[in-house]
Amino acid sequence: MSASAPVNNEDKRVVLGLLSLQDCQLLWDWADAENKASNASSEPQVPDAAVWHAQILAAQHKTHIRYGIYLDGQVIGDVALQDIDWEEPAASIGMTLRKDMRSKGYGKAALALMLEQAEEKLGAARIWASTRKSNIAAIRCLQGAGFVLTEQSGDLLTFTAT
């Protein structure tokens, strides 16, 4: 893992870095276990972690910027600027944290670091995130990172970084 973002967050132990194949495998396994535990029926968009890792590398700094979220050197999730429009500039932001790492401030720290990356790489970009009304932890994390609710469509809420 190589740090790819500045470490000026509230929890100095949280850093962003490039995802290795091994990190992608861990994230893949955690997501699979969580889906099985919750009886989620969604199929992964790619067949395995190796393909996902290759896609990350191919899209990095083109249509996406994706980093691992590391706590004390161990991967605990990932965060990405997705579907980047370099002309506007604009992107959505998405994040996944291992279940036992949620609601501890690590997501807020990771979002702050990724917003710094967005500013550095995209300039004054429009950054937004969408989540379901039922995802209270994500809503709190987004609001804690300075996002404000800008749109509601059925069960889907959209927040924009300020």
Side-chain angles (χ1 to χ4, degrees), residues 6-133:
V7 191
N8 59 350
N9 55 47
E10 293 173 14
D11 187 332
K12 302 267 189 237
R13 301 176 310 154
V14 174
V15 297
L16 304 182
L18 298 176
L19 285 161
S20 70
L21 176 57
Q22 295 81 6
D23 294 334
C24 286
Q25 187 65 58
L26 282 172
L27 292 170
W28 187 273
D29 292 344
W30 293 329
D32 185 52
E34 192 171 322
N35 285 338
K36 286 178 182 171
S38 66
N39 294 319
S41 60
S42 64
E43 290 295 316
Q45 295 178 345
V46 292
D48 60 39
V51 171
W52 182 47
H53 184 251
Q55 288 178 345
I56 290 169
L57 294 177
Q60 193 76 322
H61 294 98
K62 295 175 184 137
T63 58
H64 290 66
I65 298 173
R66 182 177 302 274
Y67 294 122
I69 303 167
Y70 296 87
L71 176 65
D72 296 331
Q74 300 297 313
V75 67
I76 62 167
D78 70 302
V79 61
L81 295 172
Q82 306 164 131
D83 304 315
I84 297 171
D85 178 342
W86 294 97
E87 291 180 21
E88 185 175 340
S92 66
I93 193 167
M95 181 176 59
T96 303
L97 280 177
R98 201 172 74 201
K99 192 171 187 169
D100 63 326
M101 294 289 126
R102 297 176 188 161
S103 299
K104 297 179 180 187
Y106 305 138
K108 179 182 172 185
L111 280 177
L113 287 170
M114 195 55 146
L115 288 172
E116 287 180 14
Q117 288 292 296
E119 178 65 30
E120 179 183 312
K121 297 190 182 340
L122 297 171
R126 182 175 60 87
I127 306 295
W128 74 94
S130 296
T131 192
R132 303 236 176 261
K133 277 189 206 179

Side-chain angles (χ1 to χ4, degrees), residues 129-133 139 149 151-159:
S130 296
T131 192
R132 303 236 176 261
K133 277 189 206 179
I139 293 167
L149 180 63
E151 187 178 331
Q152 181 174 345
S153 178
D155 187 42
L156 194 64
L157 304 176
T158 300
F159 294 82

